[in-house]
Amino acid sequence: FLVWVLERGRLSLLLGEILVKTLKARMQQGITTFLDCFLHEARKHPNKPFIIFENQTLTYQDVDKRSNKFAGAFRTEGSLKQGDIVALLMCNEPDFICVWFGLCKLGCEVAFLNVNIKAKSLLHCVRSCGAKTLVVGADLVCLAEEVLPDLKKDNVSVWVVAHTSPDENFKSLLLNAENMSDENLSDLPKVDVMSNFLFIFTSGTTGLPKAARVGHMKAIVSMIFFDMCGARSDDVIYITLPLYHMSASLLGIGGCIHLGATCVLKRRFSVNQFWKDCVKHNVTVVQYIGELCRYLLNQPMVAEERAHCVRLAAGSGLRSDVWRQFITRFGITQIREGYGLTEANIGFLNYTDEVGPIGRASCFNKLLVPFKLLRYDPKTYEPLRTASGRCILYLHIPFSWTGEAGILVTPLTATNQFLGYAGNKVQSEKKLIRDVFIAGDVYFNTGDLLVQDHKDFLYFRDRIGDTFRWKGENVSTTEVSEVLGVLDFIQEANVYGVTIPGCEGRAGMAAIVLKPDQRLNGKKLYNHLVKTLPAYAWPWFLRVQTSLDVTETFKQQKTKLVQEGFNPDVIHDPLYFLDVPQKDYTLLTIALYHDIVSGKISL
């Protein structure tokens, strides 16, 4: 017992010492922000390769100089200044980073937009974060053109990252940047580290994405992720995840900057190119989400999967069965599984070789970022409270394994901030739990269910509320329900996620009620989804009911629907499956069901 406690303590304290020493050393050098760290690295190793992208290689100095030219163009031609909010709609490419850093040098707050969103969501995102400037990648101009009249009404100026612009409504960034100086700006803005750094959009329970504020403090701490995982300055790190997510931008690009490492950036994940790229570029570290690892395992064997130099994979969302297969098949010696949120500083890292956990409830973790697991009502997912109104702690018995899950919450403090959602005080308040243990205390509700085992390892169990995760993206059930409700043959829709054997996350499913004398029109529904929702949010299954179950407060019941899944042997309502090649919903038979759960039909 004593050996186990001491061993656990040494590991957690060692990681803690690394974190504290790193932050103190930075502050002593005047490095207090994300941008400070990049500029420091550009001065220290100007000629070291920073970004390798397709046939381009940009050094730290190249990115620094190019971002200076962009900053000059934005300031001279766009009159941008400190405090302005700029929305960025770009796919993965080096200029995503150069535009981002150029705007940072002016003191602007950048809002990363998901490139999969449709016109309605794009307009909502720009308005909700308060952006008066939109920067669009050359390959996404068509999306901006759909909402251009509304953007003009809102006095939003639109820039395109190209040498030419489609018309006079767009400003060409590359053309305007040509004659700008690439020298460092002499008047970099002074920044309050407690203030907002950027906006990252998360799925909204109101139906549309929410602009989560990400502070400078969270950004600078996020940069240590790869370091904590064991990566080094001589590593070549492979990033295929989208930069508009925190994982790739703050943890990935930020992690490379912190180490002074080289990043091989992909426009998008390619299962066929993954190992070939790793061999070609001598990649030593890869960043993953669980779904990515499963895709790789489902592919036929190729020579490159055992000829690479990858020693470390770091990320989140990796299932235990996939974890073991991934190590065995691809010969990667270290997996570092973590957990984190866009909105708050709570985070865990499994620094051991134990398969499955997202981290450990170590003494250091509890001191640095305190957290609690609360008991909850399985019907409402609200925290249970005592007769005196206080929340009840999740029952954890040392050296026993009960399997009971609790809602993860973390207290809000000066160092553990929740800056809220821009333009959405109601949703910001919904993330908070007040008077948890004493009168006046405030905790952030992650909405995630965790399990703590007898060794104090933490396991992710599920996500509650009005979102679920599929294909590495958060899906808003409310948004999908609203989209379905627009159709003239659907009266009501209740959207939820269902598990499929061998798949990460949950596939979308909708229980629907048809309007009187109306029939399901699968082709019309498919065409409507293509126009209104990104593919990851489409419901794969439909359950046609005569009425929807609701609570006594008229909230839609999802628990029973989720438990019953999409099994025709269990469900007597008509079930339908999205046949993408046919662009239609077809009847879900028992034979088709078995083909899906066996993996014969891949989603």
Side-chain angles (χ1 to χ4, degrees):
F1 169 75
L2 286 174
V3 170
W4 174 78
V5 170
L6 288 170
E7 197 172 85
R8 183 183 65 167
R10 285 195 195 101
L11 280 168
S12 61
L13 286 172
L14 179 61
L15 286 170
E17 286 175 10
I18 293 171
L19 178 60
V20 172
K21 284 181 179 178
T22 302
L23 292 175
K24 283 181 70 175
R26 279 180 173 174
M27 291 180 71
Q28 287 169 356
Q29 296 175 55
I31 302 171
T32 58
T33 68
F34 195 98
L35 179 61
D36 288 341
C37 193
F38 168 71
L39 295 175
H40 171 75
E41 208 56 47
R43 289 190 296 268
K44 186 178 175 184
H45 301 294
N47 299 317
K48 183 171 184 178
F50 175 28
I51 303 291
I52 297 173
F53 179 81
E54 296 176 354
N55 296 320
Q56 305 175 56
T57 299
L58 281 76
T59 65
Y60 278 86
Q61 186 180 69
D62 291 335
V63 173
D64 186 25
K65 288 180 176 294
R66 191 166 177 80
S67 64
N68 287 336
K69 292 174 78 71
F70 288 170
F74 284 130
R75 180 160 61 182
T76 305
E77 302 298 329
S79 301
L80 291 180
K81 60 187 183 305
Q82 185 169 6
D84 287 343
I85 298 170
V86 180
L88 180 60
L89 181 69
M90 291 182 69
C91 295
N92 283 15
E93 58 174 290
D95 273 348
F96 181 111
I97 299 163
C98 295
V99 170
W100 174 22
F101 290 1
L103 291 166
C104 286
K105 289 176 178 180
L106 298 179
C108 296
E109 298 174 30
V110 183
F112 295 162
L113 305 187
N114 187 324
V115 298
N116 296 299
I117 57 177
K118 302 296 182 180
K120 179 184 175 183
S121 290
L122 171 58
L123 192 58
H124 162 81
C125 290
V126 173
R127 286 173 171 169
S128 65
C129 70
K132 288 301 178 183
T133 301
L134 171 64
V135 182
V136 183
D139 51 345
L140 294 168
V141 167
C142 291
L143 180 57
E145 287 178 326
E146 288 185 52
V147 295
L148 196 55
D150 293 295
L151 293 173
K152 289 180 70 176
K153 286 179 186 176
D154 294 345
N155 295 316
V156 176
S157 62
V158 185
W159 293 68
V160 59
V161 186
H163 286 284
T164 59
S165 57
D167 55 51
E168 68 280 359
N169 294 306
F170 291 81
K171 293 181 181 179
S172 166
L173 177 60
L174 301 189
L175 184 64
N176 281 295
E178 279 183 358
N179 298 321
M180 296 295 163
S181 170
D182 63 4
E183 295 301 314
N184 292 325
L185 276 66
S186 59
D187 54 346
L188 290 175
K190 293 181 179 179
V191 171
D192 176 5
V193 294
M194 305 304 288
S195 65
N196 189 54
F197 175 47
L198 51 80
F199 300 89
I200 295 179
F201 283 85
T202 64
S203 290
T205 54
T206 55
L208 291 166
K210 298 177 296 189
R213 294 186 178 95
V214 179
H216 284 279
M217 184 177 293
K218 179 176 177 62
I220 197 81
V221 171
S222 298
M223 301 178 82
I224 306 173
F225 174 67
F226 280 144
D227 194 357
M228 298 283 280
C229 291
R232 306 183 299 258
S233 61
D234 59 345
D235 276 318
V236 178
I237 301 176
Y238 190 52
I239 296 178
T240 64
L241 305 180
L243 290 172
Y244 57 77
H245 277 324
M246 187 187 84
S247 295
S249 53
L250 298 186
L251 303 182
I253 297 299
C256 290
I257 293 170
H258 166 73
L259 293 167
T262 299
C263 167
V264 176
L265 180 68
K266 290 290 288 185
R267 190 175 299 275
R268 62 183 60 85
F269 168 71
S270 168
V271 71
N272 295 318
Q273 290 297 316
F274 190 92
W275 295 117
K276 292 177 182 177
D277 285 340
C278 288
V279 171
K280 177 182 177 181
H281 298 291
N282 295 313
V283 170
T284 53
V285 177
V286 296
Q287 186 181 28
Y288 70 81
I289 55 171
E291 190 74 6
L292 181 153
C293 299
R294 188 177 69 84
Y295 284 153
L296 291 171
L297 284 171
N298 287 341
Q299 296 304 301
M301 291 187 67
V302 293
E304 291 86 356
E305 70 181 53
R306 297 292 294 193
H308 59 79
C309 303
V310 178
R311 61 179 176 79
L312 170 66
S316 61
L318 189 58
R319 292 204 326 256
S320 297
D321 56 336
V322 175
W323 189 323
R324 292 187 180 92
Q325 293 176 59
F326 197 79
I327 292 172
T328 303
R329 176 170 166 179
F330 300 124
I332 296 176
T333 56
Q334 284 188 316
I335 301 285
R336 289 294 175 258
E337 171 79 0
Y339 168 92
L341 292 172
T342 303
E343 298 97 325
N345 285 344
I346 182 72
F348 304 107
L349 177 66
N350 181 0
Y351 47 81
T352 74
D353 292 325
E354 187 85 9
V355 174
I358 59 171
R360 211 168 197 175
S362 66
C363 303
F364 174 75
N365 213 136
K366 290 178 179 177
L367 285 171
L368 184 68
V369 186
F371 69 93
K372 301 289 184 184
L373 298 179
L374 303 181
R375 294 186 64 191
Y376 64 95
D377 184 322
K379 292 182 180 179
T380 65
Y381 292 106
E382 291 294 323
L384 292 174
R385 292 185 181 260
T386 63
S388 61
R390 300 294 177 251
C391 292
I392 304 171
L393 282 173
Y394 152 93
L395 181 62
H396 171 59
I397 305 172
F399 302 100
S400 69
W401 172 237
T402 64
E404 181 187 352
I407 299 176
L408 175 65
V409 299
T410 180
L412 296 187
T413 64
T415 55
N416 187 26
Q417 304 170 300
F418 170 54
L419 299 178
Y421 303 111
N424 202 330
K425 290 183 179 180
V426 173
Q427 290 302 317
S428 298
E429 183 61 32
K430 281 186 176 181
K431 294 299 293 184
L432 305 180
I433 307 176
R434 299 183 182 277
D435 304 323
V436 178
F437 300 113
I438 58 173
D441 64 359
V442 184
Y443 278 68
F444 178 84
N445 183 359
T446 66
D448 290 333
L449 300 180
L450 267 57
V451 173
Q452 186 173 340
D453 74 3
H454 61 290
K455 295 181 181 178
D456 282 342
F457 280 114
L458 295 165
Y459 298 79
F460 179 84
R461 172 64 61 83
D462 207 351
R463 172 161 287 145
I464 62 176
D466 297 315
T467 63
F468 60 88
R469 197 160 179 83
W470 180 247
K471 302 297 181 183
E473 300 279 359
N474 290 333
V475 179
S476 165
T477 61
T478 310
E479 180 181 11
V480 180
S481 294
E482 288 178 356
V483 166
L484 296 180
V486 171
L487 291 163
D488 56 10
F489 55 87
I490 293 180
Q491 181 170 300
E492 290 183 277
N494 186 1
V495 177
Y496 49 99
V498 292
T499 57
I500 300 174
C503 291
E504 301 286 346
R506 294 176 181 269
M509 184 165 181
I512 62 172
V513 176
L514 299 175
K515 290 182 178 178
D517 303 321
Q518 292 286 336
R519 292 185 177 182
L520 175 67
N521 187 333
K523 288 188 179 293
K524 186 174 183 179
L525 173 53
Y526 173 83
N527 291 330
H528 180 59
L529 293 173
V530 170
K531 294 175 184 176
T532 54
L533 289 173
Y536 63 78
W538 297 350
W540 280 93
F541 305 98
L542 298 178
R543 177 175 180 171
V544 181
Q545 297 185 297
T546 55
S547 64
L548 298 182
D549 292 333
V550 294
T551 66
E552 60 277 5
T553 56
F554 302 103
K555 291 183 179 178
Q556 292 179 341
Q557 288 273 28
K558 297 182 189 284
T559 306
K560 186 180 178 184
L561 293 171
V562 170
Q563 290 171 347
E564 291 177 345
F566 59 100
N567 187 346
D569 282 331
V570 174
I571 300 165
H572 301 298
D573 298 320
L575 297 173
Y576 294 85
F577 172 67
L578 176 57
D579 189 331
V580 175
Q582 295 298 319
K583 301 180 180 180
D584 197 357
Y585 279 86
T586 59
L587 193 67
L588 181 62
T589 63
I590 293 175
L592 183 55
Y593 168 79
H594 286 298
D595 284 346
I596 294 168
V597 297
S598 67
K600 188 175 180 180
I601 292 178
S602 179
L603 274 63

